[in-house]
Amino acid sequence: MADARERFFDMFSLMCVGQQESAAGGVDKECTLILRSIACRLTQENVKEILDKAGLRGTFSFIYAPRIEERKSNLGYAFVRFRALRYAVECHRMCQGRPFGPAAPNKMCDVSLARNQGDLSEISLLSRRRYGGEDPGLLVCDDPIPDR
């Protein structure tokens, strides 16, 4: 697990180096993470509640958890778009290698950068093409950004 954590922070470091000028101007790049090994019974709203309870309320703007309607379950992962890299790093620190919520205490969440950092509607389309299933749409999270 230490290797995965080191790779994650190495990727973030590379991204942050490219953002130094914009960060100095007060602009911080959004970042999409994928949370893997989450309980299949969790809805997008459940994912939001868990992140909110973990202290991340207001730090993310969208959640997308593809579902298989016949089984009434998600595919075991969710995409979360964070409003700034620092919030994504905080999510990694809080969730990586730990159970994601009370639904599945034996499943350890694996947090990593989503391959596609583009529009979440594009992520939704790619996911449906690859795995099929229903598109639950994006859960828009418009909580105010916290003072930090």
Side-chain angles (χ1 to χ4, degrees):
M1 183 163 25
D3 291 336
R5 184 172 293 147
E6 288 170 16
R7 284 195 309 270
F8 183 82
F9 285 110
D10 286 346
M11 286 187 285
F12 265 95
S13 296
L14 290 173
M15 290 176 73
C16 291
V17 167
Q19 294 299 316
Q20 283 178 347
E21 287 180 288
S22 60
V27 177
D28 203 352
K29 185 176 179 154
E30 289 189 328
C31 179
T32 304
L33 296 182
I34 183 169
L35 309 179
R36 292 185 180 95
S37 296
I38 65 171
C40 292
R41 67 176 151 246
L42 295 177
T43 64
Q44 293 177 150
E45 290 80 9
N46 297 141
V47 172
K48 180 183 183 316
E49 288 171 16
I50 291 167
L51 292 172
D52 286 350
K53 286 180 184 175
L56 295 168
R57 169 173 271 159
T59 64
F60 49 92
S61 54
F62 295 100
I63 296 173
Y64 174 67
R67 299 184 59 78
I68 298 176
E69 190 54 37
E70 303 85 50
R71 294 192 310 204
K72 304 283 185 204
S73 66
N74 69 53
L75 296 173
Y77 62 91
F79 295 97
V80 181
R81 166 73 54 83
F82 285 89
R83 293 179 168 158
L85 289 170
R86 65 183 177 274
Y87 301 139
V89 170
E90 190 174 343
C91 176
H92 182 271
R93 183 181 56 78
M94 297 173 93
C95 299
Q96 175 63 32
R98 297 187 174 113
F100 189 77
N106 296 329
K107 286 180 118 176
M108 298 303 140
C109 185
D110 179 36
V111 181
S112 59
L113 290 169
R115 275 190 226 145
N116 185 336
Q117 290 293 313
D119 184 5
L120 281 181
S121 60
E122 189 177 321
I123 292 172
S124 167
L125 178 64
L126 292 171
S127 182
R128 281 196 322 270
R129 282 184 184 160
R130 185 171 182 184
Y131 299 107
E134 178 186 314
D135 180 11
L138 300 174
L139 177 62
V140 176
C141 307
D142 57 359
D143 296 321
I145 298 173
D147 294 328
R148 293 184 186 206

